Amino acid sequence: MPAKLIEREMRTENLPHIWCPGCSHGSTMRALCQAIENAGLERKNTIIVSGIGCSSRAVGYLNFDTIHTTHGRALAFATGIKLAKPQLNVIVLTGDGDISAIGGNHLIHACRRNIGITCIVLNNNIYGMTGGQYSPTTPSGDYATTAPYGNIDRDFDIPLLAKSAGATFTARVTAYGINEAIKVMERAIRHKGFSVVDVASICPSYYGRKNKKGDVVKMLQWQRDNSVPVKAAEKMSKEELQGKIITGIFNDEQYPEYTDEYEKIIERAGGR
Amino acid sequence: MSKRILMQGNEACVRGALKAGMRFFAGYPITPSTEIAEGCAVELPKVGGKFVQMEDEIASMAAVIGASVTGVKAMTATSGPGFSLKQENIGYASMAEIPCVIVDVQRSGPSTGLPTSSSQGDVMQSRWGTHGDHPIIVLSPSSVSETYYLAIRAFNLAEKYMTPVIFLMDEMIGHLRETVEIDDNVEIICRKQPDAPEGKFEAYKGEENLVPVLPVFGSGHYYNITGLTHNTWGFPTNNRAVANELNSRLLNKIENNRRDIEAWDEYLTDDAEILIIAYGGSARVGEDAVDMLRRKGIKAGMYRPITIWPMAEDRLRELSQRIKKILVIEHNNGQYLHEVERVAADDAEIEFIGRINGAFILPEEVTEKAEAM
Ligand SMILES: Cc1ncc(C[n+]2csc(CCOP(=O)(O)OP(=O)(O)O)c2C)c(N)n1
Ligand code: SF4
Ligand SMILES: [Mg+2]
């Protein structure tokens, strides 16, 4: 019952949203609402934090305590929230530019601390809000308004980056595979520790247009035809995986969570 | 009950903040403010509070705001280069009206400058460091004892006016050791909370004194906080009328309440014929100079701003109409001097002594200049 879901979880008075027709941010936001319900989070204890970008505007539509912060800094704000009040569930919504360019430092350190925050990255391989400049996830060779002759930067694989930095749950889903996205996001929310879900997203207005990816349907079909589940990918060569989107859960580990560890410090110092 | 304790300025800042109810500190090490972070790391867990060393000053400022939206009193401390990095999020706290305290123990700049030398070079940055027209409160202590009590006031003002407060120390005071008489009986202010039961709440309406009542996160009011121009419910808008209303309320929130905020100190101004103006560490030099001048039979006095912003300018105007010679001393190239000139230039002759090499101004230099005026 999608309409009911929207009524329950969204600030319907703020709709319609600001996104372009066909932008996948709306359906990802809806999927997140479903995942929050499925995970059984109590609204009163759930805080949603975002940075700056088209993706980060989602918080204005979500009926929770929400905070739209500064560009790249959502995880640092969220760290303050979670550490100050560990009983709160803290979810960060961010974009590829927000989290891996200006916010890259905060990302690796949140991973390293393994603080109990769920980080959902709406990764459309472009800076949507500012009109189509290349981001750290724009594939090499692709075009952007600031890469008019093709992008010579190498692109980040966000879950791989997060995993290497110590995130204890990392995954990738696609805007096309929305049911899978709901399931994986639910697991990320339930995970104890820092979790990252990279949502392969589509920006038809800029990334799509600049790179002649066709209309929205074509872009989603491309995702469907080029997604490779992580298990299958393990058996494929580097060449075969070129240009594919590897989906699924990359790691799901148990490691002491940061705010739990700080509680022990308080005990050691005699504060409890 | 009161007790006397010998302590360093930076330590007094930590103790004052704890007394005020600080229970969260995020920071990044930098001389000469580091003792504040170290003190918080030791003391906060003892009272169930939290300390975190973040990856940089930007993150520290962000974490402090994050902690504060949950209702926990939060502080960060830094010096010159780190203060520059905090500016964007200080502007955010100003716009989103999140109470917090930012300590800047000033060192000599520009850039990395002279890391271990004192300075007052961040005075204008403390007012205008972040972009856009924004309100701010800046306090500057000139003794270890005042550091303790003013740190408490910094939190009180932050909570009362829902604003970031800059606690502008300098290395001279931060590393000075003096006795503080600790009086446990001090006023502690906590931010107002809605009387309304859970449910939607018009958080950014602003009460009669223009200060908003922001529910702490997790209390069931489901509102939005943003650095974008927002309506009274906290949602982004491009509406010009709403933008004007918000920006005006933000500025008037401090302006209309300046009588309550302003603080200054005077030393022998009643019969003074020459007025020394100094704040923070410079005021220690100024006070000595006044005494030396008095011994020579010269009627000197001192006016010491404690709230650097808002400046207690009505009082300064009164003084300058009576005392026609003003000597401003600052450990910079003349930053607050411009503010003094704005207020007093029509009525008084204004001279200046500054220092930009990390050394201290000597009282003798002040008396010499004063005698020549
Ligand atoms: C400090 C700062 N620098 C730059 C900007 C401008 N800016 C706004 S959004 C954005 C990029 C957002 O890209 P992404 O995170 O990928 O989100 P998307 O819009 O693609 O969803 C930039 C550069 C800003 N708001 N703040
Ligand atoms: S510019 Fe791109 S990311 Fe932004 S709303 Fe439009 S389609 Fe979505
Ligand atoms: Mg993007």
Side-chain angles (χ1 to χ4, degrees):
Chain A
M1 295 289 282
K4 283 269 163 58
L5 175 76
I6 288 169
E7 264 171 40
R8 282 194 304 270
E9 307 298 341
M10 293 190 200
R11 291 161 167 152
T12 46
E13 68 276 19
N14 290 353
L15 296 170
H17 58 63
I18 59 160
W19 296 307
C20 308
C23 175
S24 65
H25 290 345
S27 58
T28 306
M29 174 172 76
R30 191 194 159 282
L32 174 65
C33 290
Q34 189 65 65
I36 289 173
E37 284 200 357
N38 294 358
L41 297 191
E42 201 191 331
R43 179 180 318 284
K44 199 174 156 182
N45 290 335
T46 303
I47 314 295
I48 307 184
V49 186
S50 72
I52 297 287
C54 294
S55 33
S56 291
R57 290 297 290 268
V59 295
Y61 309 116
L62 295 168
N63 193 22
F64 294 84
D65 279 335
T66 52
I67 177 166
H68 177 238
T69 68
T70 46
H71 191 28
R73 318 302 174 195
L75 278 174
F77 278 74
T79 298
I81 294 172
K82 183 69 184 176
L83 185 55
K85 291 274 169 76
Q87 67 271 30
L88 297 174
N89 310 301
V90 182
I91 298 172
V92 167
L93 269 182
T94 174
D96 43 308
D98 198 55
I99 201 76
S100 71
I102 190 164
N105 198 28
H106 311 309
L107 171 64
I108 59 175
H109 291 281
C111 293
R112 178 176 65 83
R113 291 187 191 103
N114 194 37
I115 187 161
I117 293 170
T118 308
C119 178
I120 311 286
V121 185
L122 280 58
N123 181 355
N124 54 14
N125 315 98
I126 202 87
Y127 285 2
M129 177 135 273
T130 42
Q133 300 76 27
Y134 63 91
S135 88
T137 66
T138 304
S140 308
D142 275 3
Y143 294 92
T145 59
T146 47
Y149 307 108
N151 179 24
I152 58 170
D153 285 26
R154 286 199 292 169
D155 46 306
F156 268 145
D157 176 328
I158 290 175
L160 185 63
L161 172 70
K163 190 178 156 192
S164 329
T168 48
F169 183 103
T170 63
R172 183 181 292 111
V173 296
T174 65
Y176 170 78
I178 212 72
N179 289 331
E180 169 81 357
I182 293 169
K183 277 188 216 141
V184 171
M185 283 192 223
E186 180 191 338
R187 279 190 56 184
I189 291 167
R190 290 180 185 275
H191 177 75
K192 191 147 181 71
F194 189 69
S195 57
V196 178
V197 179
D198 185 47
V199 184
S201 304
I202 60 168
C203 168
S205 301
Y206 294 111
Y207 180 78
R209 203 153 45 86
K210 272 276 158 197
N211 292 287
K212 304 200 166 49
K213 297 287 183 189
D215 60 12
V216 176
V217 177
K218 273 233 173 70
M219 288 182 81
L220 289 171
Q221 275 169 349
W222 184 88
Q223 284 198 341
R224 180 195 63 194
D225 299 340
N226 289 280
S227 295
V228 179
V230 59
K231 274 269 171 302
E234 278 164 13
K235 297 185 199 103
M236 291 165 69
S237 70
K238 226 178 165 177
E239 290 69 41
E240 287 172 312
L241 286 171
Q242 196 60 43
K244 303 284 184 202
I245 313 172
I246 306 175
T247 60
I249 295 169
F250 303 110
N251 69 324
D252 181 358
E253 306 163 57
Q254 292 304 312
Y255 187 82
E257 191 273 332
Y258 194 76
T259 62
D260 283 351
E261 291 302 292
Y262 201 89
E263 283 304 312
K264 293 180 196 162
I265 287 188
I266 293 176
E267 269 166 41
R268 244 178 273 158
R272 282 268 187 285
Chain B
M1 216 191 75
S2 82
K3 48 186 182 288
R4 291 168 62 82
I5 304 174
L6 179 72
M7 65 178 95
Q8 191 196 50
N10 282 346
E11 187 187 346
C13 172
V14 175
R15 289 197 186 221
L18 284 165
K19 179 72 187 170
M22 171 192 60
R23 290 297 177 268
F24 186 95
F25 180 97
Y28 189 84
I30 184 165
T31 306
S33 75
T34 306
E35 295 86 359
I36 297 175
E38 290 170 341
C40 288
V42 172
E43 298 302 328
L44 275 170
K46 290 185 189 169
V47 293
K50 313 286 168 65
F51 165 90
V52 60
Q53 182 173 309
M54 294 297 286
E55 50 274 19
D56 59 28
E57 287 86 348
I58 301 171
S60 307
M61 190 61 224
V64 157
I65 298 171
S68 182
V69 302
T70 72
V72 174
K73 291 184 184 179
M75 179 171 94
T76 184
T78 189
S79 299
F83 193 47
S84 294
L85 286 180
K86 288 184 195 293
Q87 295 300 333
E88 187 194 10
N89 285 333
I90 292 174
Y92 182 92
S94 206
M95 177 61 140
E97 302 180 75
I98 312 301
C100 52
V101 174
I102 301 101
V103 184
D104 175 22
V105 186
Q106 296 168 91
R107 66 188 223 180
S108 191
S111 190
T112 315
L114 296 163
T116 57
S117 297
S118 199
S119 157
Q120 294 178 312
D122 306 348
V123 174
M124 279 296 164
Q125 191 186 19
S126 74
R127 178 63 193 89
W128 294 115
T130 194
H131 59 280
D133 289 290
H134 61 277
I136 200 82
I137 295 175
V138 182
L139 309 175
S140 186
S142 72
S143 71
V144 176
S145 175
E146 190 175 47
T147 301
Y148 176 83
Y149 290 102
L150 210 50
I152 298 172
R153 182 149 198 258
F155 276 95
N156 284 348
L157 287 171
E159 296 278 320
K160 184 169 182 183
Y161 292 107
M162 299 301 285
T163 180
V165 172
I166 312 268
F167 197 52
L168 194 65
M169 297 175 66
D170 45 57
E171 190 275 344
M172 185 199 287
I173 301 302
H175 285 164
L176 188 66
R177 278 180 194 282
E178 288 180 318
T179 302
V180 181
E181 182 141 352
I182 297 203
D183 180 358
D184 282 336
N185 203 4
V186 289
E187 187 191 18
I188 305 293
I189 298 174
C190 295
R191 73 192 79 169
K192 251 186 155 169
Q193 284 297 288
D195 311 323
E198 288 181 19
K200 289 211 186 311
F201 187 75
E202 200 176 355
Y204 284 98
K205 202 164 82 172
E207 302 237 286
E208 224 165 278
N209 66 353
L210 304 182
V211 182
V213 175
L214 301 192
V216 302
F217 271 16
S219 64
H221 290 285
Y222 314 126
Y223 70 111
N224 185 55
I225 297 177
T226 178
L228 284 170
T229 297
H230 44 272
N231 61 23
T232 51
W233 296 90
F235 297 112
T237 174
N238 291 328
N239 182 303
R240 304 258 183 249
V242 176
N244 191 52
E245 212 165 292
L246 170 64
N247 288 335
S248 303
R249 183 178 63 72
L250 283 176
L251 294 169
N252 289 334
K253 175 175 80 170
I254 303 301
E255 186 57 34
N256 294 3
N257 294 300
R258 60 186 302 155
R259 286 279 173 278
D260 179 52
I261 301 168
E262 286 171 2
W264 72 93
D265 191 26
E266 290 178 30
Y267 182 53
L268 306 179
T269 51
D270 281 355
D271 64 343
E273 289 167 0
I274 179 159
L275 185 68
I276 289 169
I277 298 182
Y279 54 88
S282 303
R284 303 301 287 268
V285 181
E287 201 178 313
D288 278 357
V290 168
D291 289 341
M292 287 161 70
L293 287 163
R294 287 269 166 178
R295 282 199 290 274
K296 290 184 184 182
I298 296 167
K299 288 183 178 163
M302 186 169 75
Y303 169 84
R304 177 171 71 87
I306 297 171
T307 51
I308 305 296
W309 317 99
M311 181 201 227
E313 61 183 67
D314 289 351
R315 179 57 185 160
L316 177 58
R317 196 167 288 113
E318 275 168 29
L319 289 171
S320 67
Q321 282 162 1
R322 175 158 60 77
I323 310 171
K324 299 291 180 188
K325 292 177 186 171
I326 290 178
L327 177 54
V328 178
I329 57 175
E330 297 180 84
H331 289 92
N332 57 39
N333 202 39
Q335 296 193 13
Y336 212 58
L337 171 66
H338 297 304
E339 279 298 276
V340 173
E341 285 173 343
R342 178 176 66 76
V343 175
D346 287 347
D347 299 307
E349 168 200 352
I350 302 172
E351 290 284 346
F352 173 71
I353 299 180
R355 182 95 345 132
I356 51 171
N357 63 353
F360 292 125
I361 297 166
L362 300 175
E364 291 75 11
E365 295 174 64
V366 180
T367 56
E368 197 178 307
K369 186 115 184 176
E371 284 175 276
M373 280 176 78

